[in-house]
Every structure is written in C-alpha cells, then in structure tokens.
C-alpha cells in the first residue's frame, strides 16, 4: 500500500513507520519539521498542500491509507483553562484529524482507510486533562459517525493508554491506569490499515 503517515517522527509515529515499512508498505512521512512532507495539519490549507504533494509523489497510484499519530492539547487545571486553550485542543487534535478525513475522502483509494489517534483520557479522565478528554471523546464520536457515510472507505481510531515506554515521564499522571507497550499499539494500527473493520475504536489495553 501507499500510506500517508502523519506525526511520523514522534515516539509512536516512528514505531508505526518502522512496522508498516517492514510489512512492505510504501510510507510517506509527514511532520511539521521533519519527514518526507513538512506540513502542519492544524492548518486546513496545509492539509490541502500535503495531499497535493503526496499525489504528485505516488503519481498514478492511489493513496491507500492515511494514518495519524499526531495531536496536540494543553494540560492545565480546569480553573486555569481559557476558551483559547479549549480552542487550541480542538484545533490541534480534533479539527486537524477531521480535516485529514474530510479532504482525504476524494483523494484516497475507493476502498482506502483512515486511522486516527485518540487516547485513554476519553474514558479515564485525570486532573489537568479536561481538554484532552474533550478532544479524544469528540474524535471517537466522529469516527463512528463518519464510518456510516464514507463506505466503502474505512475509518477507525486507536485509543491507547499511557505507553509503558513513557512511564518514567508521565506515569505519575496516570495512577493505577494500566499502561500499554508501544508494540501492542502499533499492532492496532496494522489491524486498522490491513484489516476490514470500520467505525472501530481500538482501546488499549
């Protein structure tokens, strides 16, 4: 497959990239400051430019899958959050990924797929995580709704807990929440890209 991978240079994106490439796929990487294509997907105009450049690279072949491992949200106590903070969370994680789908419908193969990233805070909230919970929940609702409209194209989301590999940095924010290894999260991406399901939220663990 020709796969467009957004957020390819982060911890998760790098792991997803390695696995998809090892499985024989051609992966075009997208990042704000690194990758085959340099675009900020929080800007709809840059999403348009990204798709146009990707189409030029694959030429007469189709883009078979769009995969996202990117999304930024602010973390603050609810009393410290401002309207601008919530808008930033929506723009950085929800709008950006929704735009990948909205603009991608006409650019991805007839039976192609979209895989988005949400997270454990949709179902296990923590202090300072209200914006992330909002964004993750909105994305999961969007995936279910979009799946019934874009068929035969498919759409799923991967919703991981805190990574085992990141416990040293973030474990204190998730007391008692079971972590998940990156390798397991990566397999959820493989399942979405290579499988046949749609409208699924792959929760890990």
């Amino acid at each position: 497959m020709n796969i467009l991978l957004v957020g390819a240079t982060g911890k998760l994106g790098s792991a997803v990239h390695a696995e998809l490439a090892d499985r024989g796929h051609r992966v075009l990487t997208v990042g704000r400051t690194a990758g085959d294509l340099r675009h900020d997907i929080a800007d709809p105009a840059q999403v348009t430019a990204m798709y146009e450049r990707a189409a030029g690279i694959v030429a007469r072949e189709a883009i078979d899958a769009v995969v996202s491992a990117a999304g930024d949200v602010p973390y603050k106590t609810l009393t410290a959050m401002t309207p601008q903070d919530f808008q930033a969370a929506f723009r950085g994680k929800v709008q950006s990924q929704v735009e990948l789908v909205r603009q991608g419908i006409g650019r991805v193969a007839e039976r192609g797929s979209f895989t988005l990233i949400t997270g454990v805070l949709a179902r296990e909230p923590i202090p300072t995580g209200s914006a992330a919970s909002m964004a993750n929940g909105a994305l999961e609702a969007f995936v279910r709704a979009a799946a019934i409209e874009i068929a035969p194209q498919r759409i799923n989301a991967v919703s991981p807990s805190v990574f085992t590999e990141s416990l040293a940095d973030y474990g204190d924010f998730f007391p008692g929440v079971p972590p998940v290894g990156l390798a397991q999260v990566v397999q959820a991406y493989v399942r979405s890209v290579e499988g046949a399901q749609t409208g699924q939220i792959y929760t890990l663990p």
Side-chain angles (χ1 to χ4, degrees):
M1 297 182 190
N2 289 315
I3 299 174
L4 197 58
L5 173 59
V6 179
T9 59
K11 181 174 290 187
L12 174 59
S14 296
V16 172
H17 181 197
E19 179 67 15
L20 292 175
D22 284 349
R23 297 177 71 86
H25 301 299
R26 180 186 185 187
V27 182
L28 294 178
T29 59
V30 182
R32 279 182 291 210
T33 59
D36 300 318
L37 306 175
R38 311 285 175 87
H39 297 282
D40 181 357
I41 64 166
D43 179 356
Q46 291 201 42
V47 174
T48 303
M50 176 198 72
Y51 274 121
E52 289 174 350
R53 288 191 62 197
I57 292 172
V58 300
R60 295 187 179 183
E61 299 179 18
I63 297 171
D64 299 296
V66 176
V67 173
S68 177
D72 295 326
V73 297
Y75 286 84
K76 297 180 182 179
T77 63
L78 185 56
T79 53
M81 292 288 286
T82 66
Q84 292 74 27
D85 288 325
F86 282 107
Q87 290 167 3
F90 182 82
R91 181 172 180 265
K93 190 159 190 182
V94 183
Q95 176 186 290
S96 58
Q97 295 191 84
V98 167
E99 200 67 9
L100 287 176
V101 179
R102 190 188 72 82
Q103 293 197 37
I105 291 170
R107 293 177 165 94
V108 170
E110 182 182 6
R111 294 187 176 277
S113 69
F114 301 90
T115 305
L116 309 185
I117 179 70
T118 67
V120 67
L121 297 188
R123 54 193 183 276
E124 297 287 351
I126 62 170
T128 74
S130 61
S133 291
M134 176 199 73
N136 291 338
L139 276 169
E140 293 184 7
F142 169 76
V143 165
R144 296 184 182 99
I148 67 174
E149 293 196 44
I150 69 172
Q153 290 176 335
R154 300 182 301 105
I155 181 171
N156 299 299
V158 177
S159 182
S161 180
V162 60
F163 302 144
T164 303
E165 292 83 351
S166 298
L167 284 177
D169 296 321
Y170 302 110
D172 290 346
F173 294 98
F174 297 88
V177 177
V180 61
L182 269 174
Q184 186 177 352
V185 180
V186 167
Q187 290 309 308
Y189 276 91
V190 172
R191 182 180 180 185
S192 180
V193 170
E194 296 185 1
Q197 291 184 320
T198 190
Q200 301 298 304
I201 311 299
Y202 298 121
T203 60
L204 301 146

